[in-house]
Amino acid sequence: MAKGNVTINVERCKGCAFCVEFCPTKVLALSSAFNSKGYHSPRVVALEKCSGCDLCGMYCPDFAIFGWRIKEAAGQEAPDAG
Amino acid sequence: MSALPEIVNPVEPLLRTERMPHIWCPGCGIGTTVNCFARALLESQRNLDRVAVVSGIGCSGRVAGYVKLDSFHTTHGRAIPFATGLKLANPSLEVVVYSGDGDLFAIGGNHFIHAARRNVDIKVICVNNLIYAMTGGQTGPATPSTAITATAPYGCYEPSFNLCALAEAAGASYVARWTTFHVRQLTKSMGEVLRKRGFCFIEVLSPCPTLYQRRNKMGDGLDTMKFYKEKSRVRNGAPTSEVALTKDGEIAVGKFVDRERPDYIESMRGRLSEQLGDRYVEMECPVCQ
């Protein structure tokens, strides 16, 4: 059972792959599909390993990805939205 | 995916999302530093109406246009004078200068050393990509020796500035260096400077895959991040004279200086009250609420 999840904004991504490389549990891989600017955005390949640590979100230079913990998301409507 | 639609990126409220995607190249680290800064601001739980970002010219100068805070994109090299004016006119503001190595240390070098000497309570975040990136990759004051740039096709032969040593020698209260690889440490450092009084300086090494890494055959942004991971060594409290950067050598990172000095406003108040006694009355700040 995954403890977390990631949300990806495909259109903002520039395919730098920082999130793919530095994900501690290797949840992500670069997708073979292109976004409208021609970049390969990441996609989730091992969701069950995601801990929701949000390290991908901290590394992302394009604010295109972030991780969140399922427990926190269930407890409140929008985690850290303020 | 079962993503709940109401979950938004925690940094989203701090960004002018209508301007996204931003102009920074794929693999550029400036966005990562902004990400860390936004998270540090959120964690500090400051009133965001009292935070102002001032930036100069260059790639990192664009930060002022992307953060949803009071921000000011100033003339080349003059971010610190504008920020000093802002802070002195409205001391209740938290003023953050966000700029690059060329802007802060070449064109604005004099302003930097004097703001550090006076210990003006501003926080300077210097995104150091080792060259003048926006104008085409010319040699800048932080370019390490032997690096190839647009104006040094046979390798740079000028000695470069050691920014941390310069900041310490000029009198900064807080000096740290991180790379874009050290996101957690950088966020923590940014949180620390937001709580600290006095002139604080954080140097963040950032990849410039388009102009620096490409010419020097160092790969793309991701390769540079791996290079930072491999070459950096945390040396908290190390003497800043020993942390100079070289092209391929070790990158010393960490918090080098954290000291207490009276800041500019405090010194002014102290001296004037001592000399004038009761005659010294502080004017109420007309712009403060």
Side-chain angles (χ1 to χ4, degrees), chain B residues 195-212:
Chain B
R195 286 190 299 274
K196 195 167 168 72
R197 237 179 126 74
F199 188 90
C200 300
F201 174 68
I202 302 179
E203 176 187 3
V204 193
L205 271 184
S206 161
C208 179
T210 312
L211 292 160
Y212 183 81

Side-chain angles (χ1 to χ4, degrees), chain A residues 11-54:
Chain A
E11 285 308 312
R12 246 190 229 173
C13 179
K14 289 181 189 151
C16 67
F18 290 180
C19 53
V20 175
E21 176 69 25
F22 298 118
C23 173
T25 54
K26 303 288 169 216
V27 171
L28 303 159
L30 277 191
S31 154
S32 57
F34 298 99
N35 68 10
S36 64
K37 301 257 183 196
Y39 296 116
H40 295 287
S41 66
R43 68 187 178 93
V44 177
V45 290
L47 182 61
E48 69 286 353
K49 289 191 204 155
C50 183
S51 65
C53 68
D54 195 27

